[in-house]
C-alpha cells in the first residue's frame, strides 16, 4: 500500500528556459540537455526507490506545459547518449507516472501546496528538484526513515539553499518571507522553523548543479553516508 509520496518538481527542458546560470559556458540547447539528463537520473533513482519501497508513490509536479511534452523533450535530449535499456525504462516511467501542476506565486508557495496536498491525505511527503546527483535511491530511502522520527526534514546544499524538504504536516510559515534563489534561503528557513517551533531535522549536505563550476566539480562528489 502506497502511504508516502515522493514529489519531484521539474520544468519541461525547452532550450533557454532551464539552468540559465549554465549559459556562460554552454549553449541553450546544451543547458537543456544537461537538465534533461539530471531529470532522467532523478526519475531512475525514484524508480529504484519504489522497487524496494512499495509504500512510496511518485508524483511529478510540472511548472509548465503538458506531460506529453515533457516526455518528448526529455527523451529527445538524451537520445544521442542514453543506453537503450535506460531509454526504454525512462519512456515507460514518463508514460506511467502521476503528474500534477505546480500552483502558487513563488517557489515557496508551490512547494507548500504540493506538500500540503499529500499531508492532507495523511501521507508523509518528500519534495525534491532534479538537479542534485546526490539524491540517490539510498539517500531518499534514508530521508523517509528520518521523516518517521521528525515532522520536517531538509537537505542543505553547499550554496546555502536546500534540495530536499519533507514533512508529515506542512507548515506554511516555514516558507514565508524567503528571498528564493539567494544564499539566504537556508538560514531564513531555519529562522522560520525556530520562530514557528517546528522540529526541523537537517540531513547530510549535498551539492546541487547550478553553475559550470558545480558541473565541473560533480565528478568529485561521493554518495553521502547517514
Amino acid at each position: 500500500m502506497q502511504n508516502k509520496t515522493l514529489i519531484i518538481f521539474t520544468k519541461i527542458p525547452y532550450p533557454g528556459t532551464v539552468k540559465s546560470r549554465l549559459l556562460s559556458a554552454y549553449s541553450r540547447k546544451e543547458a537543456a540537455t544537461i537538465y534533461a539528463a539530471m531529470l532522467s537520473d532523478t526519475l531512475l533513482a525514484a524508480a529504484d526507490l519504489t522497487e524496494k519501497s512499495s509504500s512510496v508513490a511518485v508524483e511529478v509536479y510540472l511548472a509548465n506545459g503538458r506531460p506529453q511534452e515533457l516526455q518528448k523533450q526529455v527523451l529527445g535530449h538524451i537520445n544521442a547518449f542514453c543506453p537503450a535499456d535506460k531509454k526504454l525504462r525512462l519512456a515507460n516511467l514518463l508514460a506511467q507516472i502521476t503528474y500534477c501542476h505546480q500552483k502558487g506565486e513563488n517557489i515557496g508557495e508551490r512547494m507548500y501546496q504540493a506538500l500540503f496536498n499529500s499531508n492532507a491525505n495523511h501521507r508523509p511527503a518528500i519534495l525534491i528538484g532534479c538537479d542534485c546527483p546526490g539524491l540517490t535511491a539510498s539517500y531518499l530511502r534514508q530521508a523517509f526513515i528520518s521523516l518517521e522520527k521528525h515532522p520536517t526534514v531538509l537537505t542543505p546544499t553547499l550554496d546555502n539553499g536546500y534540495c530536499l524538504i519533507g514533512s508529515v504536516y506542512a507548515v506554511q510559515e516555514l516558507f514565508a518571507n524567503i528571498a528564493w534563489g539567494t544564499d539566504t534561503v537556508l538560514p531564513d528557513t531555519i529562522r522560520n522553523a525556530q520562530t514557528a517551533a517546528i522540529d526541523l531535522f537537517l540531513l547530510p549536505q549535498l551539492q546541487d548543479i547550478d553553475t559550470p563550476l558545480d558541473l565541473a566539480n560533480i565528478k568529485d562528489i561521493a554518495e553521502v553516508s547517514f
Side-chain angles (χ1 to χ4, degrees):
M1 178 181 178
Q2 294 176 321
N3 55 16
K4 304 172 187 174
T5 311
L6 175 65
I7 298 167
I8 301 172
F9 265 32
T10 189
K11 299 178 180 178
I12 296 175
Y14 297 118
T17 66
V18 293
K19 289 297 160 194
S20 59
R21 283 190 277 175
L22 292 178
L23 298 181
S24 62
Y26 298 93
S27 69
R28 296 193 303 171
K29 182 178 180 180
E30 288 170 334
T33 297
I34 291 167
Y35 186 90
M38 291 192 293
L39 173 56
S40 298
D41 286 342
T42 301
L43 290 170
L44 290 171
D48 290 341
L49 171 70
T50 58
E51 285 176 1
K52 295 182 179 180
S53 302
S54 59
S55 63
V56 179
V58 179
E59 297 178 351
V60 170
Y61 272 69
L62 290 173
N64 60 333
R66 301 172 61 197
Q68 296 87 342
E69 193 61 22
L70 178 71
Q71 297 161 21
K72 177 182 176 182
Q73 290 294 323
V74 169
L75 294 174
H77 279 294
I78 67 171
N79 183 61
F81 57 84
C82 186
D85 58 334
K86 285 191 176 182
K87 197 186 306 180
L88 178 61
R89 191 179 183 205
L90 279 167
N92 290 334
L93 285 170
L94 286 163
Q96 297 171 9
I97 211 159
T98 298
Y99 292 94
C100 305
H101 288 282
Q102 298 176 28
K103 297 180 181 179
E105 293 298 317
N106 58 52
I107 186 64
E109 290 183 13
R110 295 194 290 271
M111 287 193 295
Y112 167 72
Q113 286 294 335
L115 289 168
F116 177 83
N117 289 343
S118 182
N119 295 162
N121 291 317
H122 307 289
R123 288 187 172 197
I126 282 175
L127 187 154
I128 62 175
C130 58
D131 57 1
C132 184
L135 292 175
T136 61
S138 175
Y139 190 103
L140 294 171
R141 191 174 304 114
Q142 293 299 323
F144 272 112
I145 291 172
S146 295
L147 196 57
E148 294 173 2
K149 305 172 185 177
H150 305 276
T152 310
V153 300
L154 184 147
T155 298
T157 52
L158 296 179
D159 59 0
N160 244 5
Y162 60 85
C163 61
L164 176 155
I165 186 164
S167 65
V168 175
Y169 46 88
V171 180
Q172 194 167 14
E173 288 81 359
L174 190 64
F175 304 91
N177 302 315
I178 291 178
W180 300 103
T182 71
D183 60 3
T184 66
V185 169
L186 180 61
D188 287 348
T189 302
I190 293 173
R191 178 206 64 211
N192 284 350
Q194 292 170 341
T195 300
I198 298 169
D199 177 7
L200 177 64
F201 180 72
L202 299 184
L203 300 167
Q205 186 182 58
L206 295 175
Q207 178 172 352
D208 54 4
I209 305 301
D210 289 319
T211 68
L213 182 59
D214 294 337
L215 196 59
N217 290 338
I218 198 63
K219 64 180 182 295
D220 298 323
I221 298 176
E223 185 170 338
V224 174
S225 297
F226 278 73

